[in-house]
Amino acid sequence: MAKITIDDVTKRFGEGDESIIAVDDVSLDIRDGEFIVFVGPSGSGKSTLMRIVAGLETQTEGDIHIGDDLVNQLGPRARDIAMVFQNYALYPNMTVEENMSFGLKMSTDMSADEVEEAVTSAAEMMDIDMLLDDKPGELSGGQQQRVALGRAIVRDPNVFLMDEPLSNLDAKLRAEMRTEINRLQNDLDVTTLYVTHDQTEAMTMGDRLVVLNYGELQQVGTPLECFYRPANQFVAGFLGSPSMNFFEGNVEGGTLRADGFDFDLTKRMQSAVSSRNELVLGIRPEDMTLHDRANSGHEFEAVVDVVEPMGSISYVYLRARSQSHDQTFIVETDGQRPISEGQHVYVEIPDRDVHLFDAASGETIHQRQLGDDAEMALEEQIKPAE
Amino acid sequence: MAKITIDDVTKRFGEGDESIIAVDDVSLDIRDGEFIVFVGPSGSGKSTLMRIVAGLETQTEGDIHIGDDLVNQLGPRARDIAMVFQNYALYPNMTVEENMSFGLKMSTDMSADEVEEAVTSAAEMMDIDMLLDDKPGELSGGQQQRVALGRAIVRDPNVFLMDEPLSNLDAKLRAEMRTEINRLQNDLDVTTLYVTHDQTEAMTMGDRLVVLNYGELQQVGTPLECFYRPANQFVAGFLGSPSMNFFEGNVEGGTLRADGFDFDLTKRMQSAVSSRNELVLGIRPEDMTLHDRANSGHEFEAVVDVVEPMGSISYVYLRARSQSHDQTFIVETDGQRPISEGQHVYVEIPDRDVHLFDAASGETIHQRQLGDDAEMALEEQIKPAE
Amino acid sequence: TRGGDSSGGDGSDGSSDGSDGSGGSDGGTSTSGSDGELAIPLSEYEDADIDWRQFEGSSINIGAVQHPWVSAIKPAVPVFEELTGIDVVWNVLPEQQFRTKRQTDVSTGAGQFDVFYMDQVVNQFREEGWIQPLDPFFDDDSLFDEDWYEPDDLFEASRWQAHGGGYSDTWTGMPITVEVQTQFYRKDLYDKHDLEVAETLEQFRQNAQTIHENESDVVGTVGRGDKGYGMNIYILNTFLREFGTSLWTEFPTDSGLDSDGVINAAEWYVSLLQDYGPEGASTQTWSDVLSTMQEGRAGHIVSDANLFWPGLTGSDSSVADNIGIAKAPSPADGQFSPNAFNWQISTSKNAQNSEQAFLFMVWASSQPTNTWMHVEGDAAFSVRQSVWENDEFRSRVGENFAQVTLESLQEAAPDPFDRKYPQWGQRYSEELQRAIAGQKSAEEAMTKAASVAEDIYSN
Amino acid sequence: MSTPTQTETTPQSTFARLRDLWNDYLPYWFMAPMVLVMIMITFFPGAYDLYLSLIAESTLDVFAAEFVGLRNFETAFTRGGAIHSFVITITVVVSALLLETVLGFVLAALVAGVGSGRAKSFYRVLFIIPMAVAPVSLATIGRIMLNSEIGIIPYVINTGTPFAAPSFLSEVPLLTVILLDAWNWTPFMFIIFYAGLSSVPKTLIEASRVDGAPMWRRYVHVIIPYMKPVVFVATLIRLIDLFRTFGVVYGLTGGGPGTATQLVSINIYEQMFINNQITVAAAIAIVYLVLVVALCNVIIAKVGFEGVWD
Amino acid sequence: MATTDSDSATASQRLDKDTREKLITVVRHTILLTWSFIVLFPLYWLASMSLKPPGTANSLPPDWIFLPTVYNYIQLIQDSGFVAAFANSLVMVSASVVLVLLIGVPAAYVLSRYDIPMERDVLVWILSSRMLPPIAVVLPFFIIFRELNLFDTRVGMVLMYVSINLSLVVWVMKAFFDGIPETLEEAARVDGATQFQGFRKVVLPAAKPGIFSVAIISFIFAWIELLFGLVLTSFEAVPVTLFVYSFIGSRSIEWGMLAAASTAMIVPVVIFLIAVNKYLAAGLSFGVVIKE
Ligand SMILES: Nc1ncnc2c1ncn2[C@@H]1O[C@H](COP(=O)(O)OP(=O)(O)OP(=O)(O)O)[C@@H](O)[C@H]1O
Ligand SMILES: Nc1ncnc2c1ncn2[C@@H]1O[C@H](COP(=O)(O)OP(=O)(O)OP(=O)(O)O)[C@@H](O)[C@H]1O
Ligand SMILES: [Mg+2]
Ligand SMILES: [Mg+2]
């Protein structure tokens, strides 16, 4: 149980020209007991940052504090952490049980019985109790991952580090595990850093999200904050699945002229835009609506490119009728709505759900509006985070 | 390019009492060029079945045909397959480029230039072209996975086998990759077996879904068929995220008495139920609606346990007010709907969206109804599949 | 009769291995207070005007080769210990290993061995100053009694070799064993083919031819062909003398190896082995020669150590009953002059107990000890003429063997081991080996050998 | 792990302090005994040989020693047959090494693929045994077995095959030496390769099978590169050991016939123990050491011993 | 690994897998049995020599079938000297193997895992200790041993054997450690293991085949060592090798005894081999647990 301070940490791999900056001057204060989720595209430095916190990698620059101690010079053992490796890193020569009990034997004075009890209960939680005597090589991918997770959660460390611990599990199991991890983290109140690519995990598990791109911090905030109030186009596009649709355009007297349609900016938007010219309009697929015929001036005509039925919902890939380039955008519709490829539909972009971004810097210049209650709830969330 | 026939295949690991049945008497006809997605819980035998098709594991019983040839006796090389391993299995001593070109060099007569070209274009597709000279050890998890995928897709094999090829990618990249794989599969028209835990992939990528549990085939059908017409409770619960809610109950004169509420069975349901007594009612979270007050007799009162805001939507965990045990069910609501823990709400279960299962066998005895169009579309899908 | 070396026998029959039972190759005994009967009555030695007990309480370390002498004398060692009060510790090794060990010992000045086996390297060691000359001890009345010891009873050849083969004025050690070359033949084959035992080389060649050509699986003759200064040239050196030359016609400028006599001798030996010898004769060492003969695969051994006798007539031999022994043949017009070889024991300058060592040498080579070893034990290598004339001994080993050996020894002329003999001898034997292997003619080989030998001294 | 002194714990009790000291300086503790032994067994012998190689006559009294510059080296090369022995040695080394490496690897790979556990164990044990036959036993018994008249091997060849057995020691001595060495020491390669093979991850092999690599290419491109450090080390060590081979060859041929199998080690032996020219022997040894060190450096520089994970 | 497979057939020209597999098995075992014969024949001959009655050891045509006699072995066993030397060697050699592993394996680990300054030079230096033929270094060793009072002591011989094998252990084990991915130790360190524990509990078990291989090789190297044993001992610490050669006399060779002693010397090695047999092949090979 400890707060973690990441102070201007940079990590370079390799020397000279060849060098890669995996983590770029990241600073972050993590409160004691907080659950922090790292997200970011592949290769954005999530694992590296985590390994630096673990003491497995030495940062090129910057400091790491755990609790009040500067731990730059300390190895993983002294930092008292438990970690789920992205690649599991199970001990091939040990059984599942030995894998799971190893950390306890190394880091605590627990008696053999206590260790066994802890391992058994963790294994039951992970639903791998019948595999305790198997060697990792005999397990399925998901089973291995659960062993890796179990190995971490039996411990009672200062800090949990979990690098995509659920990526090889099925949705159902993942939901269960998610709950278990949350429960455990609440019970133990252990500071936790968690890497995930899963939207649901990202949105539901963490107290705060940390969004990374190319090793740089993009935004730190509660999940909803990041979702509804993205700091920039990257965050807006990265969170939510399918991604937010982006339309580039030029402002011409209160109207954004995008390729294929025009969008009238509201007053608030116009003032936010001020003198900028090149803008990007962002809107999530679930916020756009499709009509069979035009109702008002706000709609524009589009052609259905592909329909991806997902069951309850469908994703419809569309192309604005008068669009010059080939790009499609996605709209989420009800799964039972009859719609077919080539069909012409009218797309409505509700004003309130629109984000605007500076085309050059990607910075958000206008955030969407939320329902009053949601807005208030969000405001409340944001405050304590500051 | 070849059809694949899996004929009563069983795989047992270990001997005698200790033995585990990983694949249990599975039969499956895969058409030439078809894209088959395997889903199932962790440890259900997906990888094993795939490895049997690859020739890496020898089935204990049964036959595998590829094309018209019985391939039981053939090694992977002769089967001419390309595979993405769940654990990547990259060659640590080779660079990314060498990893990707190895298969081409081994299995084709392509000139060095052709090989290079193929590798470069695949690498671009996977967005790893700047990593071509790195060793796998220097890559992030997602990058490694993309190399593993790239290594398979540069080839032009008879069969693609992909074992969770996208599990370590972020949502955005995953969506791109999904599209690429689909495009590629359409272009090459290569029979493809694909394992995934991702709902979106399962629903959108495959021509047919194969649902496994404990090594046994549960259902084979188009994604929508499996989603809307689950063969049994397992399939119904496994597909869709969050899972379908299940309520056990007894039939008493046209009414299902569940724990916490009663549900009046429709005529059709009643006739389907016939003399059965113990039933399970299933309904998806997205099909239930929440009301602030009771509108009709169909609703029942429930208490909000937890709210998981996901952005556009929220998952609300509820417990029926008069319920005796502790279990919760989930309802999906609009993300901006104000709702808080402890609040009392009224839950509506629309008749048409309800599935009924036999409590003992899990068999589906009543399927939900769909909108007319959707129903028709589904009927059409099902027919050719038979 | 085992060639008599394994510590197998001696460890146990010697006496209760007290202090060094764990010692491996020594099989040693160092019993001081031996209980049982002494092998030889002390009175045999008490006549001597020697102060046997002057070093009471000390001990000597003997470095020895795995050799019949060791097993023969060991049972008598308690006698020495009783007589002098000196403990004897043995360090017995196979020959090649012993050489290495001895060299290490003396060249680093360790002086571990008070007494050690000495052979062809005697002058090398002497010139390096490693060997302690024995003359001062001979001159010391408390250590030596000439009348009792009777040095003249030692074979001339033995005494000569103990003086560095003519290169030393002083005693370099005391001879303990002597072996002389004799001829061995298969009596059964001789009977079968009606052959006479050869006295001349020509006859010998004839006999070899007869057997070689008329017997399948049996070669005419075997002989040492391998290189090494104790190997093929040990045999050839006999012939070259018999062909009328000698080594070092002029020391150190003319080795004599390219003289006609040597070349003729070499040609004769080479062609003998090539024509009637075994395949690969050029690589045969004494053990191959012995084994081949033991297995009954050869008609003769032209000339080799008389010490093969036990091996050839013992249980290791499949033709034990059919082996004959005779004097080595010599050229019809030459002089009989078989090669002989003595093992001597010496003491080093660095040794702690050279005087004690000398006492041991005197005791070990004295008549009573020698006689006992040969009459009571199974030894057959005495350096004392009297032993060979001893009837008890002769009847034990066989009249024929004893007589042939005695006569040969009386005429024997050992090699003079000049100080670089090992070095040039090695090269000379290499050349001879090449000739036997047919890689060059005997003449070429000997010419080369001569120049190598002379070159080695020119430096 | 590039920082050898990453602290693992914060000190508390004396015991903990000691433990920290142990852990913090672990690499030093781990290296120290090895380095000590190495210093003992390399520095003094090396210096001693160097000293010997420069003086006229062996003496332990450094002050009395007469330094003669490079004369011993000259003697070694003009008279000592050093060049000849180097050539012979290199011949033996190269051929035996090739033979043993290939044979060792093939056998290891074949045994690794044996299905039955018992058969596997049998081969594994059997194939290692030849190494355990002591050199002089092997040489002595080898001599008698190869003896043209009474040896079992020529006998078996002559009676059991249509070929006539050569006279091994005199006609084909070098070949005999090489073959005997291969019999004796292939086990060394076998055992290390076998252990190396068993640490190649199974999935890599599976991946290469799926990639369509035929068996031999699988070995060339995947397995051997993975095992490279092991293959490299085994070969290098065997190379070095071959360079100094002595016992078996000396016992078998004594360097003959003539000087046909006069290895450097035999040459050194003869200089030292027969010619009693310890100083010349030392000179040859020094040259030899320099050459082998140089050779190893070249090999390491060319091949490198980096593993797959570096 | 290297499982029997049928990869090289293409779909068109393929043999039945059973047939192919059988064929491969036949070829495999033919080669292996041939080599077994090559290995076994001299060993058989050696053993048979030791079991033949005196005088028949070298007879031709050979007595393929003979009434074995244990005469030679009885002789050997009755010879307290041989038994003592045998036991002595066994103790010294075993001790040296333990010691050399204790010294060499950790050093190899450090060389594999840490950045050592001038690493290559250090490695070559280590290797240089086995470059000179033993005869070239035996004199200086003799001098050191006398100075340190190690001459003819078991401790001295154990150290001697250690020095013979140390370079081998260090190099071979370094190679094996190089093949073990570092992720495993990272996991151990995160699990709270000290570096030492990570080494001992995680890396060492994974390196088992390597460790047992070098153990066997070191054992054998020390067990058959002759020259140092010869020069550096005289009574107390004499190794069994010297004893074996004592049957090679000056004017006779006791073939039966020599063969018996040589055969007896093989026995501990075989026992050792059988004891560690299963470890020789127990590496990481049971499936991959880390994603490469
Ligand atoms: N080599 C093996 N030895 C013994 N059991 C094995 C082996 N490989 C797999 N199994 C077992 O077989 C079952 C099926 O494994 P498989 O890898 O096919 O599962 P999976 O469906 O791929 O699961 P996941 O989604 O977790 O990857 C599991 O229970 C697993 O423990
Ligand atoms: N050992 C290394 N040597 C060189 N480059 C490395 C090394 N480890 C990581 N990198 C590089 O650093 C960058 C960040 O890697 P990291 O593993 O932190 O990514 P990540 O965010 O975890 O990605 P993923 O989601 O794919 O796991 C990548 O570009 C990667 O190629
Ligand atoms: Mg990562
Ligand atoms: Mg799997």
Side-chain angles (χ1 to χ4, degrees), chain A residues 241-280:
Chain A
S241 174
S243 299
M244 190 182 273
N245 295 304
F246 294 114
F247 304 93
E248 281 177 45
N250 296 322
V251 182
E252 284 179 22
T255 301
L256 181 78
R257 300 206 182 278
D259 183 23
F261 69 97
D262 291 350
F263 178 80
D264 296 330
L265 300 176
T266 63
K267 285 258 158 59
R268 273 190 59 202
M269 290 178 191
Q270 288 184 21
S271 72
V273 169
S274 78
S275 66
R276 285 184 188 82
N277 190 324
E278 311 238 313
L279 287 189
V280 175

Side-chain angles (χ1 to χ4, degrees), chain C residues 2-8 17 19-26 61 65-67 89-91 93-95 97 100-101 104-105 107-110 112 179 224 286-287 290-291 295 297 305 307-308 315-318 341 343, chain E residues 54-61 71 75 78-82 84-85 88 135 138-139 142-143 146 151 154 226-227 229-239 242-243 245-255 257:
Chain C
R2 303 189 293 138
D5 36 5
S6 124
S7 337
D17 286 296
S19 54
D20 59 329
S22 64
S25 59
D26 59 328
N61 185 349
V65 166
Q66 202 78 57
H67 188 273
V89 177
W90 291 90
N91 210 319
L93 292 165
E95 192 167 332
Q97 279 75 36
T100 308
K101 181 111 181 158
T104 329
D105 182 54
S107 69
T108 59
Q112 283 181 68
E179 53 196 284
R224 302 184 187 190
W286 62 263
S287 69
L290 179 59
S291 301
E295 294 307 325
R297 310 275 294 188
L307 287 188
F308 277 5
S315 63
D316 276 348
S317 173
S318 62
F341 172 74
W343 277 109
Chain E
T56 61
N58 291 316
S59 46
L60 275 188
Y71 169 83
Q75 289 283 106
Q78 281 177 347
D79 182 340
S80 62
F82 181 83
N88 188 42
I135 24 162
V138 71
L139 284 190
F142 180 69
I143 293 166
R146 268 197 325 166
F151 179 81
R154 293 190 181 89
L226 171 66
L227 186 69
L230 168 68
V231 172
L232 301 180
T233 66
S234 49
F235 304 106
E236 292 299 323
V238 175
L242 273 180
F243 222 96
Y245 304 139
S246 68
F247 302 110
I248 305 170
S250 288
R251 287 295 172 262
S252 68
I253 294 179
E254 291 177 272
W255 292 107
M257 295 296 283

Side-chain angles (χ1 to χ4, degrees), chain A residues 179-195:
Chain A
T179 322
E180 291 293 353
I181 292 175
N182 266 333
R183 200 183 47 67
L184 192 86
Q185 203 263 343
N186 278 328
D187 288 356
L188 299 179
D189 207 25
V190 177
T191 316
T192 303
L193 308 193
Y194 191 100
V195 173

Side-chain angles (χ1 to χ4, degrees), chain D residues 191-199 230, chain E residues 101 105 168-169 171-177 180 203-218 279-284:
Chain D
I191 183 174
I192 297 186
F193 287 159
Y194 188 88
L197 276 175
S198 66
S199 61
V230 170
Chain E
L101 291 178
V105 173
L168 172 104
V169 172
W171 268 74
V172 175
M173 286 318 299
K174 177 192 180 306
F176 274 94
F177 289 140
I180 297 172
V203 180
L204 277 191
K208 257 185 202 165
I211 291 176
F212 283 101
S213 304
V214 290
I216 287 170
I217 297 172
S218 301
Y279 299 111
L280 289 182
L284 296 169

Side-chain angles (χ1 to χ4, degrees), chain C residues 121-131 167 419, chain D residues 57:
Chain C
V121 294
V122 55
N123 281 308
Q124 199 181 56
F125 275 38
R126 189 179 54 82
E127 295 227 344
E128 291 280 0
W130 293 336
I131 287 189
Y167 287 96
R419 71 186 152 89
Chain D
E57 258 179 29

Side-chain angles (χ1 to χ4, degrees), chain D residues 12 93 95 110 113 125 127 168-169 184 227 234 252 306:
Chain D
Q12 302 131 6
V93 169
S95 13
L110 287 176
V125 170
F127 288 180
F168 287 100
L169 297 179
N184 197 190
M227 292 173 56
L252 193 69
E306 293 81 20

Side-chain angles (χ1 to χ4, degrees), chain A residues 101-171:
Chain A
S101 57
F102 185 76
L104 289 180
K105 288 188 189 145
M106 291 299 115
S107 62
T108 67
D109 301 330
M110 283 163 80
S111 72
D113 283 350
E114 287 168 321
V115 169
E116 200 191 316
E117 200 187 321
V119 168
T120 314
S121 86
E124 273 165 18
M125 197 190 295
M126 300 287 116
D127 199 21
I128 45 171
D129 43 329
M130 64 296 177
L131 303 173
L132 283 178
D133 293 331
D134 291 353
K135 292 275 176 78
E138 298 166 353
L139 305 185
S140 80
Q143 288 164 342
Q144 289 180 14
Q145 193 164 40
R146 281 179 281 162
V147 175
L149 184 55
R151 183 171 68 172
I153 64 167
V154 284
R155 306 255 324 270
D156 179 15
N158 262 335
V159 182
F160 272 132
L161 303 175
M162 303 191 177
D163 200 346
E164 307 195 22
L166 307 177
S167 62
N168 269 285
L169 304 183
D170 57 279

Side-chain angles (χ1 to χ4, degrees), chain B residues 116-236:
Chain B
E116 200 190 316
E117 201 187 319
V119 168
T120 314
S121 87
E124 273 165 18
M125 196 191 294
M126 300 286 117
D127 197 21
I128 45 172
D129 44 329
M130 65 296 177
L131 303 173
L132 283 178
D133 294 330
D134 291 352
K135 293 272 178 78
E138 297 167 354
L139 303 184
S140 80
Q143 289 165 343
Q144 290 181 24
Q145 192 163 41
R146 279 178 283 161
V147 175
L149 185 54
R151 183 170 67 175
I153 65 169
V154 284
R155 306 258 319 271
D156 179 15
N158 261 335
V159 182
F160 272 131
L161 302 175
M162 303 191 178
D163 199 346
E164 309 195 23
L166 307 177
S167 62
N168 269 283
L169 304 183
D170 56 279
K172 220 176 146 185
L173 198 55
R174 198 182 290 201
E176 284 169 29
M177 290 296 144
R178 215 165 63 210
T179 323
E180 290 293 353
I181 292 175
N182 267 332
R183 199 185 46 67
L184 193 87
Q185 203 265 342
N186 278 328
D187 288 358
L188 299 179
D189 207 26
V190 177
T191 315
T192 303
L193 309 193
Y194 190 101
V195 173
T196 184
H197 284 312
D198 185 277
Q199 292 290 328
T200 317
E201 288 170 31
M203 295 308 291
T204 60
M205 295 184 81
D207 296 323
R208 282 193 293 165
L209 269 188
V210 172
V211 188
L212 287 172
N213 192 26
Y214 290 116
E216 285 176 36
L217 216 57
Q218 303 292 323
Q219 185 164 8
V220 183
T222 63
L224 286 181
E225 185 184 350
C226 295
F227 189 82
Y228 285 125
R229 297 281 174 260
N232 55 33
Q233 192 184 343
F234 172 80
V235 176

